[in-house]
Amino acid sequence: MMDHVIDIADAPAILRVQREQLRIERDSEPTVSVPLADIAVVILAHPQLSCTQAVLAGLVTRGAAVIVCDDRRLPAGLMLPLQTHFVQTERIAAQARAARPVGKRCWQQVVRAKVRAQAELLTRLRGD
């Protein structure tokens, strides 16, 4: 497993499974395919997403987690595999066991990384 994290938040999309591949189809972009076995997490954040049952079943049977976000793009639900890989469950349990200062430091790193990414995107789009 290559542990790809796929975040679908920026444009409407249709998700399908074809030949053991997750296909992400968008009107404005070429179709993207990723082997299901290489995916660790899929974050469904855009309000105009459509996916088949085969997508959800294919992801969780190969050990991937699926996170569904609400209209504010905040996590609202989590689907984890029941039979195959338990990596995500172990990670979530480790996060729950972590001391509060560790959790705060981790959250701080996440926020800083997001701000840096937004700044980089603005620089690319608008210059200085």
Side-chain angles (χ1 to χ4, degrees), residues 96-111:
R97 287 190 306 268
R100 190 155 184 85
V102 172
K104 286 184 176 185
R105 279 194 307 274
C106 289
W107 186 246
Q108 183 182 48
Q109 289 176 356
V110 167
V111 170

Side-chain angles (χ1 to χ4, degrees), residues 100-126:
R100 190 155 184 85
V102 172
K104 286 184 176 185
R105 279 194 307 274
C106 289
W107 186 246
Q108 183 182 48
Q109 289 176 356
V110 167
V111 170
R112 284 183 177 166
K114 286 175 101 40
V115 170
R116 276 193 302 272
Q118 289 174 352
E120 182 182 320
L121 178 63
L122 279 173
T123 301
R124 272 196 259 151
L125 293 175
R126 311 249 175 175

Side-chain angles (χ1 to χ4, degrees), residues 8 20 23-24 37 45 47 54 70 82 85 91 93 97-98 117 128:
I8 304 173
E20 301 294 314
R23 293 178 46 88
I24 303 168
D70 62 15
L82 292 176
H85 305 283
R91 288 178 185 163
R97 287 190 306 268
D128 288 343

Side-chain angles (χ1 to χ4, degrees), residues 62-116:
R62 285 161 187 86
V66 179
I67 299 172
V68 179
C69 297
D70 62 15
D71 57 344
R72 295 177 298 152
R73 299 188 183 185
L74 297 173
L78 173 66
M79 181 182 291
L80 294 172
L82 292 176
Q83 296 177 347
T84 57
H85 305 283
F86 296 96
V87 175
Q88 289 82 13
T89 306
E90 291 170 4
R91 288 178 185 163
I92 290 170
Q95 290 173 3
R97 287 190 306 268
R100 190 155 184 85
V102 172
K104 286 184 176 185
R105 279 194 307 274
C106 289
W107 186 246
Q108 183 182 48
Q109 289 176 356
V110 167
V111 170
R112 284 183 177 166
K114 286 175 101 40
V115 170
R116 276 193 302 272

